[in-house]
Amino acid sequence: MDEFNNDPQLKFAIAGLYVVDGQTGEPVIEQNAYTGLAPASTEKIITAATALDVLGKDFTYETKLGIVSTAKGKSLYIQASGDPTLGSWRWDSTKEEVVLAAIKSAVRAKGIKQLESIIISSKDWINDDGLPSRWTWEDIGQYYGAGSQGLNWRENQFDLIVKSGANVGDPVTVLRTKPFLYNYKIVSEARAAGKETGDESSLYYPSKGNTYSVLKGTIPAGKNDFAIAGSIYDPSRQFAKTIINELKGIAVVKEDIQLTGKRYDNVDWLYTHTSPTMAKIVYWFLRKSVNLYGEALIRTIALQLKGEATTEKGVEAVQEYWKSKGIDPEEMHLYDGSGLSPQNRITPHAEVTVLKYAKAQSWYPEFYDGIPLYNDMKMKSGTINRVKGFTGYQKSKTGKEYIFSMIINNYNGSQLSLIRKMYTVLDQLK
């Protein structure tokens, strides 16, 4: 660790390291263990452990569809639950074609021929637009910046398919979106760069009165059908219009879409979609670092413990929950549930304490299974600008178990080079 600290890449950086004996909890080594550092996605281990402990590993979300009668006539009523997996490609039961086929079948079986509107009720979720206040403008248009709403669809993601000119500086042309985005226009200001470059583009949400999103930056020259992943900022209406299109030939549905916090009584229920269990959601949350899941989970925790599904209440709930487990709330300055905000601050000690607590719980096998394998070590990684972290578990060749957190802020130079040096330090636990 002394050698690591003296490396030129750490000249203006701060490095936190905390390692404890996995059995006794006794510290093995600590450096800046109680210093709050930007954790990036290592924060996800805290959100995941809280969700499993508060909600339970068998917890599921339910999205219910039925028919309600209004002054205008019969309407399709959707009771959302904040489910982040609706339409996700990660499970067979959640895939968009499976969900849409089930809805289509339910409407057909009911013999409904006309619907005056689609009403989406997001009670408890309606007062939060799903975007944590401390996320950056550049992040929220990208696929990993998809916020959590009352109704989420296809993980609130889409692919923008573009074509770049043959020469550096040529325009990048928008071809289409996948899936088709309703009433959604994207204008490209992007240009072609050298063929050896990668995707250096960014999507920006509408601003300054615009009704369209803007693609900026560069992609390599001479590309056809180049896919750029972005976030859908209005998944509720995208879902509703997808249903309207899906029901063509079965029922006429007027394009009157209402988003409300009101819950309707006397609903003639047609179909209930049940999400995978919390254990399965946490698996993908940790394995693929899905930010949307973190934001949905922290709001669900807020609803359970605070009665209000907002990010701010979720942060309060998480801090209070872990205070009861011995972590000072000042060790967890959070602004989201995923770690995407560059203003989050967590101590290595807090992360290790959460991991140690998890090890003694009944849901630990599912939690441990979700943690990725890097450098032949079970650890969650975290990456944002000039931040790199790893936190997890390791068993040495002698059978000794360790729990650790290593977080670096404000390093310089190559991230890959820094990772190799971090591995050299962590290899001592093997």
Side-chain angles (χ1 to χ4, degrees):
M1 193 61 188
D2 288 339
E3 183 179 346
F4 180 79
N5 289 330
N6 290 324
D7 190 278
Q9 280 198 273
L10 277 292
K11 185 175 181 180
F12 304 105
I14 183 167
L17 176 66
Y18 189 51
V19 182
V20 302
D21 184 302
Q23 295 297 323
T24 67
E26 290 298 312
V28 174
I29 183 173
E30 52 184 301
Q31 174 180 302
N32 297 318
Y34 291 87
T35 299
L37 301 169
S41 283
T42 63
E43 181 189 322
K44 288 182 170 69
I45 61 103
I46 294 173
T47 305
T50 311
L52 286 167
D53 216 39
V54 170
L55 303 170
K57 67 180 183 180
D58 296 321
F59 173 90
T60 56
Y61 295 89
E62 286 190 347
T63 303
K64 302 175 72 174
L65 287 84
I67 303 298
V68 294
S69 294
T70 66
K72 294 180 179 180
K74 290 184 176 179
S75 294
L76 182 64
Y77 173 72
I78 302 171
Q79 191 168 291
S81 62
D83 180 4
T85 71
L86 187 68
S88 172
W89 53 91
R90 301 184 196 277
W91 299 270
D92 288 341
S93 64
T94 63
K95 289 179 178 178
E96 58 180 313
E97 61 269 23
V98 173
V99 174
L100 293 171
I103 295 170
K104 190 174 180 179
S105 176
V107 172
R108 182 192 287 117
K110 198 69 177 176
I112 298 165
K113 299 300 180 184
Q114 183 165 323
L115 293 164
E116 298 301 320
S117 64
I118 294 183
I119 302 169
I120 299 176
S121 171
S122 299
K123 187 177 185 294
D124 303 316
W125 299 73
I126 202 74
N127 294 324
D128 189 325
D129 66 5
L131 291 172
S133 61
R134 304 302 177 96
W135 280 11
T136 68
W137 183 244
E138 185 176 29
D139 283 340
I140 62 176
Q142 320 321 313
Y143 75 94
Y144 57 82
S148 163
Q149 301 187 22
L151 192 143
N152 304 293
W153 177 239
R154 295 187 79 259
E155 298 194 3
N156 300 347
Q157 291 185 31
F158 73 98
D159 284 339
L160 178 66
I161 312 301
V162 299
K163 177 182 179 180
S164 58
N167 303 306
V168 172
D170 283 352
V172 172
T173 306
V174 173
L175 300 178
R176 62 188 181 279
T177 61
K178 182 181 180 183
F180 176 77
L181 298 183
Y182 300 88
N183 299 340
Y184 198 111
K185 184 179 179 182
I186 299 170
V187 173
S188 174
E189 295 178 2
R191 297 285 170 174
K195 292 188 176 181
E196 73 284 354
T197 61
D199 184 354
E200 297 294 335
S201 66
S202 295
L203 276 159
Y204 291 86
Y205 276 1
S207 63
K208 297 179 181 178
N210 292 335
T211 57
Y212 54 83
S213 292
V214 179
L215 177 70
K216 297 183 178 183
T218 64
I219 67 167
K223 292 291 184 180
N224 292 308
D225 287 344
F226 189 87
I228 299 167
S231 65
I232 300 173
Y233 66 83
D234 195 357
S236 294
R237 285 188 170 84
Q238 176 68 20
F239 180 57
K241 292 190 176 184
T242 302
I243 290 175
I244 292 170
N245 187 62
E246 192 71 18
L247 292 179
K248 284 180 179 176
I250 295 176
V252 176
V253 187
K254 294 182 180 179
E255 291 201 18
D256 178 15
I257 301 167
Q258 303 172 30
L259 308 183
T260 179
K262 176 185 175 182
R263 281 279 171 91
Y264 280 70
D265 296 323
N266 302 319
V267 182
D268 184 6
W269 295 112
L270 300 178
Y271 168 66
T272 297
H273 174 82
T274 304
S275 76
T277 63
M278 182 56 65
K280 293 178 179 178
I281 294 172
V282 162
Y283 175 88
W284 285 113
F285 174 47
L286 295 176
R287 276 295 171 101
K288 294 299 181 181
S289 213
V290 186
N291 292 332
L292 168 68
Y293 290 6
E295 302 318 315
L297 295 186
I298 199 168
R299 294 182 68 188
T300 308
I301 292 164
L303 183 60
Q304 179 73 19
L305 296 181
K306 294 285 186 176
E308 187 178 336
T310 65
T311 303
E312 291 75 16
K313 290 295 182 182
V315 168
E316 288 180 20
V318 169
Q319 289 174 322
E320 291 170 6
Y321 193 76
W322 290 104
K323 181 180 180 181
S324 70
K325 311 294 182 188
I327 300 176
D328 191 313
E330 294 298 321
E331 293 191 60
M332 289 185 179
H333 283 289
L334 310 180
Y335 295 98
D336 61 22
S338 63
L340 184 59
S341 170
Q343 297 193 42
N344 291 315
R345 296 292 183 270
I346 299 175
T347 67
H349 168 264
E351 291 195 337
V352 167
T353 302
V354 170
L355 289 170
K356 184 175 183 297
Y357 175 83
K359 197 167 178 288
Q361 308 311 308
S362 60
W363 42 262
Y364 175 69
E366 289 84 357
F367 177 75
Y368 182 83
D369 189 39
I371 297 174
L373 194 68
Y374 295 107
N375 190 40
D376 292 324
M377 302 176 78
K378 269 286 195 177
M379 54 188 185
K380 181 75 190 78
S381 70
T383 308
I384 54 175
N385 184 38
R386 295 184 180 273
V387 172
K388 190 66 194 179
F390 292 105
T391 183
Y393 304 94
Q394 177 62 26
K395 180 179 285 189
S396 72
K397 291 178 181 177
T398 63
K400 196 169 184 63
E401 296 181 357
Y402 298 101
I403 305 172
F404 64 89
S405 172
M406 187 179 191
I407 304 172
I408 316 301
N409 281 193
N410 204 45
Y411 67 89
N412 62 72
S414 160
Q415 181 188 133
L416 183 59
S417 174
L418 179 79
I419 289 171
R420 291 195 185 108
K421 293 165 186 174
M422 292 175 74
Y423 283 175
T424 299
V425 174
L426 295 174
D427 280 347
Q428 306 311 307
L429 303 179
K430 294 180 177 180

